[in-house]
Amino acid sequence: MDDRIVSGHEPEGAENNLDLHRATGSGGPGSGDTVCMASTIYQGLEVLFSRQQIAERVAQMGAQITHDLEGEKLVMIGVLKGAAPFLADLSRAIQVDATFDFVATSSYGKGQRSSGAVKLVKDLDHSIEGKNVLVVEDILDTGLTLSYLRKIFMQQHPKSLRIATLLDKPSRRIEKIDADYVGFSIPNLFVIGYGMDYAERYRNLPDICIMPPGHPE
Ligand code: IMP
């Protein structure tokens, strides 16, 4: 029985995205899991991707990145705060000599809407000149954040720059940008958990859940 909350605001074509998840065996809505955690705080939240589905997909991404960067050194740049759990798991699935750095940008503030402007709140600790860079992001939405970061990182002339995002919402794109590695492509839903927040909450949910539509911002 499907007792999921009806999201009600998927864009046209959303069904195709969902079918793609099933076709590629990477899980997705309706794949069996229903509710995040047993706590009453999380009651009623629909699971979009379970921790098992995330772990499987992250392992696949790690294997691909290992293959692509065999014999090279890598700087993994996490975009705080949302990418922290993904970077932690992805890095352990990558078998190349890697170091970490982190940046923080301002974007969503307390609500679900982007202000449109991206500002660097925390810069890199070390130069990436001549380095292989993997930018690690939780979710690629409008593309404003990653377009901005790619631009400022390229000014340092890295040897290579790749982008890994766990989630991609292509229907929301404003800036033209694609990630080299995408965990799951999703329709226009606001999601929480596995690092992703709503007003700084829910980042520690082990599953990725759908924020019910109509939630006050
Ligand atoms: P972009 O600049 O619009 O691509 O947004 C990137 C950032 O927006 C992500 O790193 C997230 O912090 C935030 N974001 C976008 N969509 C969601 C969502 O569904 N849930 C939580 N955060 C989101």
Side-chain angles (χ1 to χ4, degrees):
M1 189 178 75
D2 188 356
D3 59 351
R4 298 181 301 132
I5 297 166
V6 176
S7 68
H9 62 289
E10 287 95 342
E12 279 184 23
E15 274 309 309
N16 291 338
N17 279 328
L18 305 187
D19 285 338
L20 185 66
H21 295 310
R22 294 190 189 106
T24 56
S26 47
S31 55
D33 306 277
T34 48
V35 177
C36 273
M37 304 176 92
S39 160
T40 51
I41 302 170
Y42 305 116
Q43 232 168 35
L45 288 178
E46 176 193 351
V47 171
L48 185 61
F49 298 110
S50 69
R51 65 203 77 179
Q52 289 84 2
Q53 289 170 325
I54 297 167
E56 282 170 23
R57 189 69 189 113
V58 170
Q60 290 169 353
M61 295 174 81
Q64 183 66 54
I65 294 165
T66 301
H67 175 265
D68 293 350
L69 283 155
E70 205 183 340
E72 298 278 344
K73 289 187 175 178
L74 178 65
V75 183
M76 299 181 71
I77 301 179
V79 185
L80 295 171
K81 304 170 190 164
F86 179 42
L87 184 138
D89 288 343
L90 183 66
S91 66
R92 287 175 290 179
I94 295 176
Q95 286 159 34
V96 289
D97 187 349
T99 57
F100 293 177
D101 209 336
F102 294 93
V103 291
T105 59
S106 66
S107 54
Y108 273 77
K110 289 185 177 174
Q112 294 189 3
R113 290 210 187 96
S114 169
S115 63
V118 179
K119 195 172 77 177
L120 198 62
V121 176
K122 186 218 167 289
D123 204 346
L124 293 169
D125 290 338
H126 303 287
S127 167
I128 53 171
E129 187 176 349
K131 306 272 177 70
N132 293 303
V133 167
L134 181 68
V135 185
V136 181
E137 177 64 303
D138 53 357
I139 183 161
L140 177 51
D141 185 26
T142 64
L144 291 166
T145 305
L146 281 172
S147 298
Y148 169 78
L149 288 175
R150 184 175 59 180
K151 190 180 80 187
I152 62 166
F153 291 159
M154 288 309 285
Q155 287 167 0
Q156 291 195 29
H157 305 293
K159 181 176 176 186
S160 66
L161 187 147
R162 294 174 170 85
I163 295 172
T165 186
L166 182 61
L167 300 181
D168 186 9
K169 287 196 239 180
S171 67
R172 292 259 308 158
R173 206 72 94 247
I174 293 172
E175 287 285 333
K176 187 174 159 29
I177 184 162
D178 292 316
D180 300 275
Y181 308 99
V182 175
F184 305 99
S185 185
I186 65 168
N188 184 14
L189 300 167
F190 196 87
V191 293
I192 49 176
Y194 196 69
M196 287 167 282
D197 74 309
Y198 172 78
E200 294 298 331
R201 295 179 60 207
Y202 307 111
R203 291 193 196 274
N204 62 326
L205 288 178
D207 307 302
I208 296 174
C209 300
I210 298 173
M211 192 75 198
H215 196 281
E217 293 189 20

